[in-house]
Amino acid sequence: MTRKQKKKFKFQIVWEKRYLEASLSPKKEFFAWISFNVLFLGLVIILTFLNQNWLMSISCLIECLGTNVWFLGKPKRIKERKNKEDENEFVHLFSYFSIYVRNGEPVYQALEDTMHYASPRMADKFQTMLTAIDKDKSVQPYLDFAENFHHLEIQQVMMSIYKMSKEGEGEAYLRQFEMMFENLADEKRQEKIEQERRHYSNFNFLPTTAS
């Protein structure tokens, strides 16, 4: 395999990985991308020869470039959205976990009970963690679960849960977990408020622009 072929093969792997991680079909997305560019460029060529309007053609090409940038950024946007959804679900689920351990349930049992409220995708992550905990009593299963999320605070929350399971559900470890979890929950609430504020700001801007 030549160097050029290796680069092409590596690019193909990276392309497919990005789309698969976003739960998209690489072949379908590639076909849609190629189809759009062929049709759009064909339209630009036809308009150019019919109208002889080069300024319009250049504007269309710039618009095509912008659309390509948006299209190629689709996997990243989907992954970021899913990650935010997962982090919000984490906060929602572990509010139940907090109630269970506060009522005296052991950590493992509290995790099992919390899993019942999870979405199918999150329930799979929970089950993987619980199965790993059955085989490995170290902190690793908790850290592996935390790696499903980008937020570093989640790793600290999971480490505090491991300490509870290891050292016993004492008041000190419970307070440590609750403090870390509440910090994370507050941060996610602020993010949601800020997101809603931006949404309504954009919405209110539309009538002003139209007028």
Side-chain angles (χ1 to χ4, degrees):
M1 184 180 291
T2 65
R3 183 178 296 181
K4 186 176 181 179
Q5 288 174 325
K6 286 181 179 178
K7 286 184 178 179
K8 183 180 179 181
F9 182 67
K10 185 177 180 181
F11 173 79
Q12 184 178 356
I13 291 175
V14 172
W15 170 283
E16 290 182 352
K17 183 180 178 182
R18 287 179 64 222
Y19 282 86
L20 289 172
E21 286 177 348
S23 301
L24 296 170
S25 169
K27 290 182 179 180
K28 288 182 179 179
E29 294 298 319
F30 182 73
F31 178 76
W33 177 60
I34 291 294
S35 299
F36 166 78
N37 280 281
V38 169
L39 291 172
F40 200 97
L41 291 175
L43 181 62
V44 169
I45 292 171
I46 292 172
L47 289 174
T48 301
F49 279 101
L50 289 177
N51 299 326
Q52 296 294 313
N53 190 334
W54 294 99
L55 184 60
M56 180 185 290
S57 299
I58 293 172
S59 299
C60 288
L61 287 172
I62 293 173
E63 185 177 342
C64 180
L65 178 62
T67 305
N68 272 278
V69 171
W70 178 87
F71 189 88
L72 294 174
K74 184 178 178 182
K76 183 180 178 182
R77 291 194 303 275
I78 291 176
K79 281 183 65 179
E80 288 176 350
R81 188 184 73 244
K82 285 185 176 180
N83 185 64
K84 284 187 179 295
E85 289 173 355
D86 286 347
E87 288 178 354
N88 289 332
E89 185 175 4
F90 178 94
V91 171
H92 174 71
L93 291 174
F94 278 84
S95 62
Y96 290 109
F97 174 84
S98 180
I99 294 171
Y100 287 133
V101 293
R102 172 58 70 180
N103 289 338
E105 279 197 15
V107 166
Y108 189 91
Q109 182 62 46
L111 289 172
E112 281 188 319
D113 290 341
T114 300
M115 184 174 65
H116 297 315
Y117 300 97
S119 64
R121 188 175 66 189
M122 189 65 74
D124 288 340
K125 295 179 174 64
F126 261 84
Q127 189 57 61
T128 299
M129 175 176 61
L130 292 171
T131 302
I133 291 173
D134 289 336
K135 300 175 183 178
D136 183 358
K137 303 304 179 184
S138 73
V139 71
Q140 197 57 49
Y142 298 86
L143 295 180
D144 289 343
F145 178 78
E147 285 181 3
N148 290 300
F149 312 90
H150 292 172
H151 206 299
L152 294 177
E153 194 89 27
I154 291 178
Q155 185 180 77
Q156 295 177 350
V157 169
M158 294 309 299
M159 288 181 68
S160 71
I161 292 174
Y162 165 74
K163 289 178 181 177
M164 278 198 294
S165 69
K166 189 72 173 176
E167 306 296 337
E169 292 80 18
E171 189 67 25
Y173 293 105
L174 181 58
R175 281 200 305 269
Q176 183 185 41
F177 159 74
E178 288 179 337
M179 181 184 68
M180 291 182 176
F181 178 70
E182 194 56 38
N183 288 339
L184 174 64
D186 285 342
E187 185 175 335
K188 300 307 292 183
R189 279 194 290 268
Q190 289 300 320
E191 284 182 9
K192 188 174 182 179
I193 292 171
E194 181 62 24
Q195 184 180 2
E196 290 177 351
R197 187 189 67 80
R198 287 197 302 268
H199 172 75
Y200 286 114
S201 295
N202 293 335
F203 181 77
N204 292 332
F205 179 71
L206 292 176
T208 306
T209 304
S211 61

